[in-house]
Amino acid sequence: MYEDEIPTSAQLAFEKSWNSQGRVKIENYAKEVVRTTRFQERVLELRKKYEIPVNGFPQVDNRTVPPREWVHSHSDTNRELWKDVEKMCADYGLHFVYWSDPIQSVLFYNEPLEAMHGADLCLLVDLQSEGEDPFSKEIQEADNRFYPLAIRISPQATQRDIIDFIEKHDVFIKQMQEHYLKDATGQKIGKVKKKNPKVQERNDFIYENRNLPRRKIMEAIADKFGSEAVIDYGHISKIISLEKQKRKEV
């Protein structure tokens, strides 16, 4: 390994935060949302409304969001689209600061959805600094809506102190969470399970080919993923059924 390839402490901290359970969970939830029939319908509605090609723009190198070739890229319509995407984020319980760009990438380019850094079920902020130099009212309102609870931490507290506080106040924390969960009906972020990407890719492939005879699907699985990935007819039917259910509102 060359010297300039050695990870710095900042890089290591970044990678550690990127693998947080909350980040993985909310990204899996967002990916489930994108696969739903209703989300795909809304994408088509927005493409029609804003004169975006029905299948999106080609995925070229150095692409921008929005694309330079989009007829409205430098007009006020761009702002109108952003507001519609912001509303989509709110409808699905996703903070627009972290999810508007990924969703626009889906809208414009059909790119796979990927979370931006900072997207998580928890948010780390410096309250004193924010008070002195606050974000816009729009961002502050979104922070309050998606992260309504907070634990203030003394600079003297150790990691063990913080964990101990959470463990010993879990009943009160849960009670406060339940108060806000009443207004989040239909948003099942906390129930999304971690998935093996290769298994999900296979399941998506099976769903996309669901109208083929089961034997043809088995052969296609073997061709694309190898003989070790082949499953029986019953398993294929079960996956198709589960994927149909997931494509309803999550």
Side-chain angles (χ1 to χ4, degrees):
M1 177 181 290
Y2 294 103
E3 185 175 351
D4 60 358
E5 294 178 341
I6 299 174
T8 64
S9 59
Q11 288 174 321
L12 293 173
F14 179 90
E15 291 172 4
K16 185 177 181 181
S17 67
W18 189 250
N19 290 320
S20 74
Q21 182 173 311
R23 193 209 68 79
V24 172
K25 185 178 288 187
I26 198 167
E27 183 176 60
N28 284 339
Y29 164 77
K31 287 179 177 178
E32 293 288 348
V33 163
V34 170
R35 278 194 283 266
T36 63
T37 301
R38 179 55 188 146
F39 183 91
Q40 293 298 325
E41 289 173 348
R42 292 178 77 171
V43 165
L44 292 177
E45 290 167 3
L46 290 180
R47 285 176 179 168
K48 182 177 180 180
K49 179 178 179 180
Y50 293 104
E51 299 180 85
I52 299 169
V54 67
N55 294 316
F57 289 94
Q59 293 187 13
V60 296
D61 293 337
N62 300 319
R63 52 187 176 272
T64 61
V65 177
R68 297 183 186 91
E69 59 269 35
W70 180 42
V71 66
H72 299 297
S73 61
H74 299 293
S75 72
D76 290 340
T77 304
N78 187 8
R79 176 65 181 173
E80 294 172 20
L81 171 62
W82 193 89
K83 294 299 290 184
D84 277 339
V85 171
E86 181 183 352
K87 184 178 186 307
M88 286 179 69
C89 291
D91 289 345
Y92 290 109
L94 300 170
H95 196 309
F96 74 88
V97 167
Y98 307 107
W99 292 101
S100 60
D101 279 359
I103 287 178
Q104 286 191 73
S105 293
V106 174
L107 175 65
F108 284 117
Y109 298 109
N110 282 316
E111 286 187 338
L113 188 78
E114 293 185 4
M116 294 177 63
H117 187 258
D120 208 313
L121 292 183
C122 298
L123 179 67
L124 180 63
V125 297
D126 183 330
L127 296 174
Q128 182 167 311
S129 176
E130 273 197 11
E132 296 170 352
D133 185 18
F135 290 109
S136 69
K137 181 181 177 182
E138 191 175 36
I139 292 178
Q140 291 182 64
E141 289 176 347
D143 284 351
N144 290 340
R145 183 163 64 252
F146 296 109
Y147 305 99
L149 304 178
I151 297 173
R152 287 179 177 264
I153 299 173
S154 163
Q156 305 291 340
T158 65
Q159 182 187 67
R160 185 61 248 170
D161 293 333
I162 298 167
I163 294 173
D164 183 69
F165 178 89
I166 293 172
E167 289 177 344
K168 291 179 178 175
H169 290 77
D170 63 331
V171 173
F172 305 108
I173 294 171
K174 187 63 178 176
Q175 287 176 345
M176 297 172 75
Q177 287 179 308
E178 288 175 349
H179 171 75
Y180 288 99
L181 283 172
K182 294 174 184 177
D183 297 325
T185 55
Q187 298 172 4
K188 303 175 183 177
I189 299 173
K191 296 182 180 179
V192 174
K193 298 178 180 178
K194 186 175 181 180
K195 298 178 178 63
N196 183 315
K198 291 183 178 179
V199 171
Q200 188 58 58
E201 182 183 1
R202 181 206 63 189
N203 291 356
D204 288 339
F205 179 78
I206 290 172
Y207 182 77
E208 290 165 3
N209 292 279
R210 62 191 179 280
N211 294 323
L212 294 176
R214 298 295 184 263
R215 177 171 290 281
K216 289 290 185 182
I217 295 178
M218 286 180 64
E219 294 171 355
I221 292 172
D223 290 341
K224 185 173 179 64
F225 300 99
S227 58
E228 67 277 5
V230 173
I231 52 180
D232 60 34
Y233 291 176
H235 199 170
I236 289 173
S237 295
K238 183 178 179 181
I239 288 172
I240 292 172
S241 177
L242 290 172
E243 291 298 319
K244 281 183 179 178
Q245 183 63 34
K246 285 196 300 187
R247 281 162 174 76
K248 297 178 181 179
E249 292 299 332
V250 294

